[in-house]
Amino acid sequence: MDTVKIGLCGLGTVGTGVVKVLRDHKARIKHMLGCDIVIEKILVNDISKPRDVAIDRSWLTSDPSELVDHDEIDVIVEVMGGIDGTHELLERALKNKKHIVTANKDLMALHGKTLLRLAKENQCDILYDASIAGGIPIVRTLVDGLASDHIEKVMGIVNGTTNYIMTKMTKEGLDFDVVLKEAQELGFAEADPSADVDGLDAARKMVLLANLAFKMELNLEDVTVKGIRQVTQEDINFAKSLGYTIKLIGIAAMDNYKAEVTVEPTLLPQDHPLALVNNEFNAVFVHGEAVGETMFYGPGAGSLPTATAVVSDLMEVVRHLRLGISGRSYIEPQFKRKLKADHEKFSRHFIRLGVEDQAGAFQEITNVFSENDVSFAKILQLPAKKKGRAEIVMVTHHISQEQLLKSMQALEKLTVVDRLISHYRVDGEE
Amino acid sequence: MDTVKIGLCGLGTVGTGVVKVLRDHKARIKHMLGCDIVIEKILVNDISKPRDVAIDRSWLTSDPSELVDHDEIDVIVEVMGGIDGTHELLERALKNKKHIVTANKDLMALHGKTLLRLAKENQCDILYDASIAGGIPIVRTLVDGLASDHIEKVMGIVNGTTNYIMTKMTKEGLDFDVVLKEAQELGFAEADPSADVDGLDAARKMVLLANLAFKMELNLEDVTVKGIRQVTQEDINFAKSLGYTIKLIGIAAMDNYKAEVTVEPTLLPQDHPLALVNNEFNAVFVHGEAVGETMFYGPGAGSLPTATAVVSDLMEVVRHLRLGISGRSYIEPQFKRKLKADHEKFSRHFIRLGVEDQAGAFQEITNVFSENDVSFAKILQLPAKKKGRAEIVMVTHHISQEQLLKSMQALEKLTVVDRLISHYRVDGEE
């Protein structure tokens, strides 16, 4: 086997990168594998469209069967995105004994389980490291590098668009809408930004990370998601004055074999390694029982970074092919899907209230928290802009989600509390 | 094969951690591998000594042949350190077809080449991820995760002791000797600290990283090494005022298939990801042609972090054994050992001079640099404590090592220059 032929589905940003990496690093790849990887066919919508990369026009086709039914193609590299049609295509490919490399987080978050099992049945590999954090080889790290450890928590900045927005808001004091518009103009945010700014993209990645870390089969619906649209400059400034930075953080935690996965704007201590990850960069922070704290940092998206991860996965598929061990790396989940109940989810919280500035108001508020056994690490009271009003900002010690919700409900009934302005999770400290 | 038997050489800090990780994560390991890993024998100096971990006393032996000649032992896990005797032991193990996992950087830096070849000849695996950066799975990342990329530069904080010292000096304004003493009392530095503070430990790790990253066979003697003993509070403060942090950084860079490997105190911009790595933590920053900047951060030493890396490697060896692909992952170096000459080594430099505070002194100094085509990004002149004297601190643009050395020689001849107080490499910016 001197040559492995691949079918590339998609020739957009990542697909173009894959063509370039295969071409520019041909010698390195051949040296490491002992064989060449060549593109046999590329699936595109429009075969006549001009392309940004030099390709052999005869590679192009708009007919999927020219790839998935092709006798000589061993590996399908899927970088075209989409869910239903793509799912069908990859199922057909697996049934035809084609191995798969994909960068499609949406698909893997929704159908990963069935695709992984189907791959195993057909003795095929399906690798998807590029789908989670672009250029950061996080799947390998969780599966192999930390194989011997019991991973207790994964915290990630896994969406570049929201990290760019939060960085700009924090460093330049600009409002969300202004930064979003700028990000759209620069191409860091989509015209319809909701998958990013509402946290869905991060949620898809976190469910993949949680399943890898905890050897479980969680679903996308198991993730609690809150986006960044409601984060204000006041929130950021209050956080700063208490020593925190606000980031959109995905958190997956396991205690007693019960999991919790959330994506939400979270306050981190300013010197936490994740607090220092800026702009469009991604990072995944892993806490293992034995290893302690580790972090993996890099570009979360982009043509060449993502293509690097895709081609590195492709090289592993080819290595397995040549060693005759394809489809042997799948590991069944070790634990049943079990989620923490609200009284088992512990965290610190930042709570910001608008209150009447009158004698006894503070007392009434602290009474509510005392009744729910909630105590505080930090409290800050400042006069509000409106006369006779004040703002109270508190950071709790570790409390359960149940304690939080009960306290909130009781606070809303107090007449001295005008409104609950905002509340965020606080993480990354003891 | 329901059980793989191992021989553990060494029951010190890391060895104890290995016993604990194998015991505490037994179920996870069995789930992932489909078999148990059991300790058959442990090589120690003193079999009667009390131990910090529960072990079966019958495992202990002081006779190496009970491990390396044992018929049922498949893998030797070497965590005892040492060079000559250990080298001999591992050679004998390989000839007996035992696979090897080692955390021994000294040995791998000196004899890695021959051990890797001998392993290949005997169809054995030899894995050493734990030897480089403790709990950070950096070998996997460089070899597999970034397999498809052309790695241009690796920068690492790969010695926890010196990073702890530099962090304390920077944050608390204490002198080297004071911090070293404190580090020794806390167990972060050895009684004889020279392997750490003079940079040799970091040099050993950097030569391993360089060979993995560049697919070359460099030797320890190819590394230029400068330790941290001469770094002063004044240097740190001048660096700060120009926007830099001083760290002991290992740098491996390749241009045109010629390499340069150095370990030296280096100024990094204060917001560089490596500048933010504090205390005893390690981090490896990798610049790939396609992926751009990535960084891997974690504990560089310690019983359980290092044991995690050792056992993760052990699991890979066992996986290979069960798949029948042992000894198949060795890849010959791709490039001949070639080093950059002085005129090919480019970098910025921080230069600090004590000068006479008189008209024309500055002119004379800048003339020397102009004659060598050296220009500056930053210049700072301040009066020195001694009357009639001043200090000049400069940061050059990118210049060659040759330009630097010529300028230094010419400066020493100037009567207006009292002395060259210090000079450091500046890296991590364009």
Side-chain angles (χ1 to χ4, degrees):
Chain A
M1 197 194 319
D2 292 336
T3 298
V4 171
K5 291 182 180 171
I6 69 162
L8 180 64
C9 301
L11 192 54
T13 310
V14 179
T16 304
V18 169
V19 174
K20 285 184 190 160
V21 169
L22 284 173
R23 179 193 67 202
D24 296 348
H25 300 163
K26 194 176 160 64
R28 179 184 180 96
I29 292 168
K30 177 155 191 171
H31 176 81
M32 290 187 71
L33 295 176
C35 74
D36 280 312
I37 296 177
V38 300
I39 295 171
E40 182 72 20
K41 284 287 169 194
I42 304 179
L43 180 64
V44 292
N45 281 324
D46 178 358
I47 60 169
S48 61
K49 191 174 142 184
R51 302 287 170 178
D52 290 342
V53 63
I55 44 159
D56 186 332
R57 284 271 150 190
S58 72
W59 292 346
L60 299 181
T61 174
S62 56
D63 176 7
S65 64
E66 287 199 38
L67 285 80
V68 296
D69 299 333
H70 194 299
D71 280 345
E72 290 177 15
I73 285 177
D74 285 313
V75 191
I76 298 292
V77 176
E78 187 276 299
V79 290
M80 65 187 186
I83 298 181
D84 293 341
T86 311
H87 184 201
E88 210 176 290
L89 189 91
L90 295 190
E91 283 200 334
R92 198 162 123 203
L94 287 172
K95 286 175 187 159
N96 285 341
K97 315 281 177 201
K98 314 286 182 216
H99 308 286
I100 290 171
V101 174
T102 175
N104 192 329
K105 63 194 163 288
D106 306 0
L107 181 67
M108 289 307 289
L110 289 170
H111 302 295
K113 271 191 272 188
T114 51
L115 284 171
L116 287 164
R117 293 236 163 78
L118 184 63
K120 196 195 171 197
E121 279 168 34
N122 288 282
Q123 280 142 47
C124 286
D125 279 334
I126 173 164
L127 299 190
Y128 56 101
D129 212 333
S131 68
I132 298 181
I136 312 173
I138 189 68
V139 175
R140 277 183 180 74
T141 303
L142 285 176
V143 174
D144 299 330
L146 302 174
S148 65
D149 203 2
H150 173 71
I151 296 171
E152 297 169 330
K153 192 170 181 180
V154 178
M155 291 170 72
I157 293 177
V158 289
N159 180 274
T161 305
T162 46
N163 201 45
Y164 176 85
I165 294 173
M166 292 304 304
T167 304
K168 284 273 168 183
M169 287 178 70
T170 303
K171 296 212 162 169
E172 296 177 14
L174 301 170
D175 282 336
F176 173 78
D177 294 330
V178 178
V179 182
L180 174 61
K181 197 156 166 268
E182 193 191 307
Q184 285 170 323
E185 283 162 10
L186 289 169
F188 284 135
E190 307 277 339
D192 174 2
S194 62
D196 292 319
V197 303
D198 296 327
L200 180 61
D201 176 82
R204 287 170 175 157
K205 292 162 175 174
M206 288 310 298
V207 81
L208 295 175
L209 282 175
N211 286 337
L212 289 165
F214 305 148
K215 319 274 169 220
M216 236 182 227
E217 277 189 346
L218 300 165
N219 304 313
L220 191 53
E221 302 82 60
D222 298 332
V223 188
T224 311
V225 188
K226 204 165 104 181
I228 62 167
R229 287 187 201 261
Q230 85 290 1
V231 180
T232 63
Q233 276 303 319
E234 286 92 47
D235 291 334
I236 292 173
N237 287 326
F238 274 118
K240 257 187 213 171
S241 63
L242 294 170
Y244 300 103
T245 300
I246 309 184
K247 295 276 184 188
L248 184 70
I249 302 287
I251 297 177
M254 182 161 79
D255 293 297
N256 274 322
Y257 307 105
K258 289 184 184 175
E260 171 190 11
V261 190
T262 64
V263 170
E264 59 191 303
T266 301
L267 276 69
L268 299 171
Q270 278 159 356
D271 61 354
H272 190 278
L274 283 175
L276 306 167
V277 174
N278 286 320
N279 301 316
E280 73 280 16
F281 277 91
N282 281 17
V284 180
F285 184 87
V286 179
H287 193 280
E289 188 183 84
V291 79
E293 300 182 350
T294 61
M295 189 176 84
F296 308 91
Y297 163 97
S303 173
L304 290 175
T306 309
T308 302
V310 168
V311 178
S312 296
D313 269 355
L314 175 58
M315 289 171 71
E316 189 165 327
V317 167
V318 172
R319 203 176 299 123
H320 289 177
L321 249 177
R322 289 171 62 86
L323 291 169
I325 58 165
S326 298
R328 302 281 292 271
S329 50
Y330 175 77
I331 296 168
E332 287 285 338
Q334 186 177 4
F335 302 109
K336 286 229 172 75
R337 172 183 162 274
K338 268 194 201 159
L339 297 171
K340 289 188 203 175
D342 278 354
H343 69 275
E344 296 167 310
K345 293 177 187 170
F346 281 85
S347 173
R348 287 163 172 267
H349 293 273
F350 166 102
I351 299 166
R352 183 177 157 215
L353 303 170
V355 300
E356 285 183 33
D357 191 4
Q358 63 172 53
F362 194 75
Q363 180 80 42
E364 280 194 56
I365 291 163
T366 51
N367 278 348
V368 163
F369 286 112
S370 305
E371 280 160 21
N372 289 290
D373 261 337
V374 175
S375 62
F376 295 94
K378 294 174 184 177
I379 299 178
L380 187 66
Q381 175 165 349
L382 291 173
K385 279 175 205 153
K386 203 169 151 192
K387 219 186 147 200
R389 292 289 180 275
E391 285 199 12
I392 299 180
V393 175
M394 292 165 284
V395 175
T396 71
H397 286 299
H398 280 82
I399 59 169
S400 72
Q401 190 72 16
E402 194 177 34
Q403 285 172 286
L404 176 74
L405 295 176
K406 278 189 181 166
S407 306
M408 298 293 214
Q409 281 160 5
L411 284 175
E412 281 184 351
K413 288 182 191 144
L414 293 184
T415 51
V416 296
V417 174
D418 289 337
R419 65 189 184 106
L420 173 60
I421 303 173
S422 57
H423 72 105
Y424 300 106
R425 184 175 181 133
V426 178
D427 217 305
E429 58 187 354
E430 285 309 300
Chain B
M1 198 196 314
D2 292 336
T3 298
V4 171
K5 291 181 179 171
I6 68 163
L8 180 63
C9 301
L11 192 56
T13 310
V14 179
T16 304
V18 169
V19 174
K20 284 184 190 160
V21 169
L22 284 173
R23 179 192 66 201
D24 297 347
H25 300 164
K26 194 177 161 65
R28 179 185 179 96
I29 292 168
K30 177 157 192 170
H31 176 81
M32 291 188 70
L33 294 176
C35 72
D36 280 313
I37 296 178
V38 300
I39 296 171
E40 182 72 20
K41 285 285 169 194
I42 304 179
L43 180 65
V44 292
N45 281 324
D46 178 357
I47 61 169
S48 62
K49 191 174 143 185
R51 302 288 170 178
D52 290 341
V53 64
I55 44 157
D56 185 332
R57 285 272 149 189
S58 72
W59 293 346
L60 299 181
T61 174
S62 56
D63 176 8
S65 64
E66 286 199 40
L67 284 78
V68 296
D69 298 335
H70 194 299
D71 280 346
E72 290 177 17
I73 285 177
D74 285 312
V75 191
I76 298 291
V77 175
E78 187 275 298
V79 291
M80 65 187 187
I83 297 180
D84 293 340
T86 311
H87 184 201
E88 209 175 293
L89 189 90
L90 295 190
E91 283 199 334
R92 198 161 122 204
L94 288 171
K95 286 176 186 158
N96 285 341
K97 313 283 179 201
K98 314 284 182 215
H99 309 286
I100 289 171
V101 174
T102 175
N104 192 330
K105 63 193 165 290
D106 306 359
L107 181 66
M108 289 307 290
L110 289 170
H111 302 294
K113 273 191 271 187
T114 51
L115 284 171
L116 286 164
R117 292 235 164 80
L118 184 63
K120 196 194 170 198
E121 279 167 33
N122 288 283
Q123 280 142 44
C124 287
D125 279 335
I126 173 163
L127 300 190
Y128 57 102
D129 212 334
S131 68
I132 298 180
I136 312 173
I138 189 68
V139 174
R140 278 182 180 72
T141 302
L142 285 176
V143 174
D144 299 329
L146 301 175
S148 66
D149 204 2
H150 174 70
I151 296 171
E152 296 169 329
K153 192 170 182 180
V154 178
M155 291 169 70
I157 294 177
V158 288
N159 180 275
T161 305
T162 46
N163 202 45
Y164 175 86
I165 294 173
M166 292 305 304
T167 303
K168 284 272 168 185
M169 287 177 70
T170 304
K171 295 212 162 171
E172 297 177 12
L174 302 169
D175 282 337
F176 173 79
D177 294 330
V178 177
V179 182
L180 174 62
K181 197 155 166 268
E182 193 191 307
Q184 285 170 322
E185 283 161 10
L186 289 169
F188 286 133
E190 307 277 339
D192 175 2
S194 62
D196 292 319
V197 303
D198 296 327
L200 180 60
D201 175 81
R204 287 171 175 156
K205 293 163 175 172
M206 287 311 299
V207 81
L208 295 174
L209 282 175
N211 286 338
L212 288 164
F214 305 149
K215 319 272 168 223
M216 235 182 228
E217 277 189 345
L218 300 165
N219 303 316
L220 191 52
E221 302 80 61
D222 298 332
V223 187
T224 311
V225 188
K226 203 166 105 180
I228 61 166
R229 287 186 201 263
Q230 86 291 0
V231 180
T232 63
Q233 275 303 320
E234 286 92 47
D235 290 334
I236 290 173
N237 287 327
F238 274 119
K240 258 187 211 170
S241 62
L242 294 169
Y244 299 103
T245 300
I246 309 185
K247 296 274 184 190
L248 183 72
I249 302 287
I251 297 177
M254 182 161 78
D255 293 296
N256 275 322
Y257 308 105
K258 289 184 183 175
E260 171 190 11
V261 190
T262 65
V263 170
E264 59 190 302
T266 301
L267 275 69
L268 299 172
Q270 278 158 355
D271 61 353
H272 190 278
L274 283 175
L276 306 167
V277 174
N278 286 321
N279 302 316
E280 72 280 18
F281 277 92
N282 280 18
V284 181
F285 185 87
V286 179
H287 193 280
E289 187 183 85
V291 78
E293 299 181 351
T294 62
M295 189 176 84
F296 307 92
Y297 164 97
S303 172
L304 290 175
T306 309
T308 302
V310 168
V311 179
S312 296
D313 268 356
L314 175 58
M315 289 171 72
E316 189 164 327
V317 167
V318 173
R319 203 176 300 122
H320 289 177
L321 250 177
R322 289 171 62 85
L323 291 169
I325 56 166
S326 298
R328 302 281 292 272
S329 50
Y330 175 77
I331 296 167
E332 287 285 338
Q334 186 177 3
F335 303 108
K336 285 229 172 73
R337 172 182 163 276
K338 267 194 201 158
L339 296 171
K340 290 188 202 175
D342 278 354
H343 69 275
E344 296 168 308
K345 294 177 186 170
F346 281 86
S347 173
R348 287 164 171 264
H349 293 274
F350 166 102
I351 299 166
R352 183 175 157 216
L353 303 170
V355 299
E356 285 183 34
D357 190 4
Q358 63 172 53
F362 195 75
Q363 181 80 40
E364 279 194 56
I365 291 164
T366 51
N367 278 348
V368 163
F369 286 112
S370 305
E371 280 160 23
N372 288 289
D373 260 338
V374 174
S375 62
F376 295 94
K378 295 173 183 174
I379 299 179
L380 187 66
Q381 175 165 349
L382 291 172
K385 279 174 205 150
K386 202 170 154 192
K387 221 187 146 200
R389 293 289 182 274
E391 286 199 12
I392 299 180
V393 175
M394 293 165 284
V395 174
T396 71
H397 286 298
H398 280 83
I399 59 169
S400 72
Q401 191 72 14
E402 194 177 34
Q403 285 172 287
L404 177 75
L405 295 176
K406 280 190 180 164
S407 307
M408 299 293 215
Q409 282 160 7
L411 283 175
E412 281 183 351
K413 289 180 192 145
L414 293 184
T415 52
V416 296
V417 174
D418 289 338
R419 63 189 184 107
L420 173 59
I421 303 173
S422 57
H423 72 105
Y424 300 107
R425 183 177 181 133
V426 178
D427 216 306
E429 59 187 354
E430 284 311 300

